[in-house]
Amino acid sequence: MRSDIAILCDAYASLHPGLYRYLTPANFQRQRQCLDRFAATPHTLGDFYLALSAFTASVRCGHSFPNPANQAPAVASALFGKPDRLPFAFRWLDRRMIVTADLGSGHHLPIGSEVVAIDGISARDMLAKMLPYARTDGSNDARKVADLGIPGDADEPTFDVLRALLFPSSGPSARVVARIAGRAETIACPLMTAAARDGALRHPSKDSPMAGRSRCAARSVS
């Protein structure tokens, strides 16, 4: 980790033209010292990825981040290869997670439904925990929030990456509390592989304008 950090910081100092646009040299050194202290003790690969994400986010350059698409296959498989994708698309409106398409939840989530919580964690708390790791230019937090939706900002959406590392799934489904037509319902949504959900986004089924076919039934309670 330490050698990786040294290479990263040397590259920033020698190559990044906007390194000190939002950070003073002293603040950059403080951020590096925090990263060095982190690297002084053993950590998982996922923890290291999060630490790098927080460090690069502190520079406030939307082009500087640990891009999932640039990772070695073994790293990408370990961090992003699990079948843990949520079976719906959404955007954030006033920090509320609003469904824009059901992609195979088994419950035909209507467009405009609000996802209140996932696996016992409120959507608002989830967003707040993710924001320090998300990239943007300057102080454009609105862009951060927008990029944390699904489909999101890349082939490996930031929301998926951060959810897998900060709030890992413990089973094949997610316990989702959704507010539908003013009524809160708890539903078990089957999680998907990245390929399956990407396919649902690209190739809508006949069930709804963007919905993928549900592959298993799930329980719904009031």
Side-chain angles (χ1 to χ4, degrees), residues 19-32:
L19 177 60
Y20 302 126
R21 184 170 298 159
Y22 303 105
L23 281 178
T24 65
N27 284 337
F28 178 74
Q29 287 304 316
R30 277 194 287 272
Q31 293 293 337
R32 176 172 182 171

Side-chain angles (χ1 to χ4, degrees), residues 109-195:
L109 284 170
I111 294 173
S113 305
E114 179 185 358
V115 174
V116 179
I118 301 170
D119 290 332
I121 303 163
S122 78
R124 286 179 180 272
D125 288 347
M126 194 172 284
L127 176 62
K129 186 74 176 288
M130 290 179 176
L131 282 174
Y133 301 98
R135 62 191 173 106
T136 195
D137 288 318
S139 300
N140 191 354
D141 281 353
R143 176 60 185 271
K144 274 191 183 186
V145 173
D147 285 348
L148 283 167
I150 298 294
D153 57 341
D155 290 339
E156 289 284 353
T158 301
F159 177 88
D160 290 330
V161 171
L162 294 178
R163 178 175 173 270
L165 298 176
L166 296 170
F167 312 103
S169 300
S170 59
S173 64
R175 186 171 179 270
V176 174
V177 179
R179 185 173 290 116
I180 302 170
R183 181 187 178 195
E185 298 184 29
T186 300
I187 58 178
C189 289
L191 298 171
M192 309 174 76
T193 64

